[in-house]
Amino acid sequence: MMKRNKIYQSLTISITVILNVLLSSRAQAESFENLLKSSLTPPEVEIHNIMGDKKALETARNACIFLQKGNSVQEFSTQAAISLLQLGLTQEQLQTAALYTGKVIATGVTSFCPEYKSKLQELQL
């Protein structure tokens, strides 16, 4: 339970940070992939290479679908955190993966369903 809370906290922080960057940029003008890749740190790039472009795109689009159904970013982030626990990553990789997933969610919402950006703002600390 504590591990899940730590991962969720990392997701929330990551979403907050990337949201601030994306809200101050011209996010719609760039593709999801370019926006995401330009926001990743070297350790997050390693996680992206493990997850792959297809999984990142799927997660981003699923976030939009989830929000369109009236669910919260917090609920989607919790599900994402639980799925990270099932990957068998080390503690360090899990924290990096949580930050990476937060960026995928925020970038996906900004790129594919910007009408839900306000839901991302609900998570700001």
Side-chain angles (χ1 to χ4, degrees):
M1 183 60 124
M2 187 144 184
K3 202 181 223 185
R4 185 178 357 169
N5 288 341
K6 195 166 192 170
I7 292 170
Y8 176 72
Q9 182 181 26
S10 292
L11 274 169
T12 302
I13 291 168
S14 181
I15 288 171
T16 300
V17 169
I18 195 66
L19 178 63
N20 288 331
V21 170
L22 292 172
L23 289 176
S24 64
S25 72
R26 298 169 53 91
Q28 290 77 14
E30 294 186 56
S31 73
F32 165 76
E33 292 84 6
N34 290 339
L35 277 172
L36 177 63
K37 289 178 181 177
S38 69
S39 72
L40 300 178
T41 64
E44 291 167 347
V45 169
E46 289 180 31
I47 297 298
H48 180 75
N49 291 337
I50 292 169
M51 304 295 231
D53 290 335
K54 184 178 177 183
K55 181 69 175 166
L57 185 61
E58 179 183 309
T59 300
R61 292 195 184 273
N62 284 343
C64 288
I65 291 167
F66 205 78
L67 294 174
Q68 288 167 351
K69 291 180 178 179
N71 298 300
S72 71
V73 174
Q74 183 176 5
E75 291 169 313
F76 187 77
S77 297
T78 299
Q79 286 187 357
I82 291 168
S83 70
L84 289 175
L85 291 172
Q86 298 169 355
L87 295 176
L89 301 173
T90 66
Q91 182 64 34
E92 185 178 327
Q93 287 175 318
L94 278 171
Q95 289 181 330
T96 302
L99 293 170
Y100 165 78
T101 303
K103 288 181 179 181
V104 170
I105 293 168
T107 305
V109 169
T110 301
S111 297
F112 301 124
C113 52
E115 65 273 22
Y116 295 108
K117 278 195 244 183
S118 62
K119 288 198 175 216
L120 294 176
Q121 292 169 324
E122 294 168 5
L123 284 179
Q124 291 192 17
L125 303 174

